[in-house]
């Protein structure tokens, strides 16, 4: 979500009478399947504000006992506090959990991996970024956090350090498949360890390779 061209006049009505009502709206970052993201000025810093849509809130209620905004905040915080990951996780700041009104505030991080690849497409850049992403995912799994919603628009490239490109992850509202056993077959597969907690992330990491005829973002190459 990175379209800042649309600039709404005010914050969403669901934030009225909340602690977020004092935030100053700077722009709209874009829309996703679960939420709309805004750039705000709040507590003397620029932040990303994610306001979840009612359908996503209702769907989550049927799948998990923790409300959606609180759930993403807690997953974000758990990763942010994991040794070795603080510089690679968007800082969680606050959340709003008021029934159907669900919102989450976190560090604003510009620059998606997709945008970086589009500007600096090369085999070397792809290798370095992929190696870095694998290392971050391994640390997350070591901390017991799975299903990181890995996608080129959810992985941010924030610059370079001594080890190379520095990445940040920021989207953690996926419920791990082993926590949401959708049917008896899934439950059986988990018991037999045919589906492991890290399975979905490993499949997603494979999408960051370059299949014949396509680049890693699913766009057909020009021939």
């Amino acid at each position: 979500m990175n379209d800042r061209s649309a600039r709404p006049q005010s914050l969403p009505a669901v934030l009225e009478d909340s602690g977020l009502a004092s935030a100053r709206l700077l722009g709209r970052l874009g829309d996703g399947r679960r939420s709309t993201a805004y750039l705000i000025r709040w507590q003397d810093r620029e932040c990303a504000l994610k306001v979840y849509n009612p359908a996503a809130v209702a769907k989550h209620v049927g799948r998990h006992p923790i409300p959606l905004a609180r759930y993403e905040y807690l997953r974000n915080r758990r990763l942010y506090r994991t040794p070795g990951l603080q510089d690679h996780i968007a800082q969680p700041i606050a959340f709003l959990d008021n029934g159907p009104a669900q919102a989450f505030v976190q560090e604003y991080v510009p620059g998606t991996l997709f945008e970086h690849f589009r500007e600096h497409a090369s085999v070397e850049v792809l290798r370095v970024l992929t190696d870095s992403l694998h290392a971050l995912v391994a640390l997350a799994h070591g901390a017991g956090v799975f299903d990181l919603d890995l996608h080129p628009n959810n992985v941010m490239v924030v610059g370079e350090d001594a080890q190379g490109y520095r990445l940040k992850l920021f989207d953690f509202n996926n419920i791990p498949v082993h926590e949401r056993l959708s049917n008896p077959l899934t439950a059986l597969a988990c018991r037999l360890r045919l589906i492991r907690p890290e399975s979905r992330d490993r499949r997603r990491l494979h999408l960051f390779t370059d299949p014949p005829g396509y680049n890693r973002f699913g766009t057909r190459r020009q021939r």
Side-chain angles (χ1 to χ4, degrees):
M1 296 188 290
N2 57 3
D3 178 11
R4 294 180 60 176
S5 59
R7 293 189 174 274
Q9 299 301 310
S10 59
L11 287 167
V14 295
L15 302 181
E16 293 179 2
D17 302 320
S18 77
L20 295 170
S22 62
R24 181 163 63 93
L25 185 64
L26 301 179
R28 183 170 181 152
L29 296 173
D31 300 277
R33 290 184 297 113
R34 300 181 184 93
S35 61
T36 298
Y38 302 91
L39 180 63
I40 62 173
R41 183 80 181 175
W42 190 58
Q43 296 184 345
D44 297 323
R45 65 183 293 186
E46 283 192 356
C47 306
L49 167 67
K50 183 183 292 187
V51 180
Y52 298 98
N53 63 53
V57 171
K59 187 175 182 179
H60 184 89
V61 166
R63 294 178 169 183
H64 203 281
I66 300 176
L68 180 52
R70 183 185 297 268
Y71 181 78
E72 182 162 6
Y73 174 85
L74 292 175
R75 274 170 59 89
N76 182 300
R77 188 179 66 177
R78 184 175 179 183
L79 280 170
Y80 189 73
R81 293 179 174 179
T82 297
L85 276 182
Q86 187 174 66
D87 290 338
H88 302 283
I89 302 297
Q91 180 186 7
I93 299 172
F95 67 91
L96 171 65
D97 169 18
N98 186 16
Q102 300 277 319
F104 173 44
V105 182
Q106 63 187 144
E107 173 188 3
Y108 170 58
V109 186
T112 69
L113 189 151
F114 175 77
E115 292 167 336
H116 191 88
F117 170 77
R118 187 170 54 189
E119 185 176 349
H120 305 286
S122 73
V123 172
E124 179 62 20
V125 167
L126 294 180
R127 183 190 65 77
V128 172
L129 293 175
T130 301
D131 288 349
S132 297
L133 185 58
H134 275 265
L136 296 185
V137 171
L139 284 172
H141 289 177
V145 183
F146 306 96
D147 284 356
L148 301 175
D149 200 7
L150 298 173
H151 184 279
N153 282 326
N154 287 341
V155 179
M156 319 306 285
V157 181
V158 296
E160 297 186 55
D161 56 21
Q163 287 72 45
Y165 293 98
R166 186 157 62 91
L167 304 181
K168 279 200 176 187
L169 308 180
F170 76 97
D171 199 346
F172 308 107
N173 56 29
N174 266 359
I175 303 173
V177 66
H178 67 283
E179 289 186 12
R180 179 173 54 84
L181 302 175
S182 55
N183 56 58
L185 288 178
T186 301
L188 177 62
C190 287
R191 286 198 300 271
L192 296 175
R193 297 184 69 79
L194 298 174
I195 297 178
R196 299 172 67 90
E198 64 271 22
S199 296
R200 184 183 293 174
D201 285 333
R202 288 182 173 176
R203 289 198 306 271
R204 300 288 288 184
L205 282 172
H206 284 306
L207 298 178
F208 286 80
T209 59
D210 197 2
Y214 292 83
N215 67 29
R216 67 181 54 212
F217 304 123
T219 303
R220 186 176 296 278
R221 283 186 181 142
Q222 298 298 316
R223 296 187 180 279

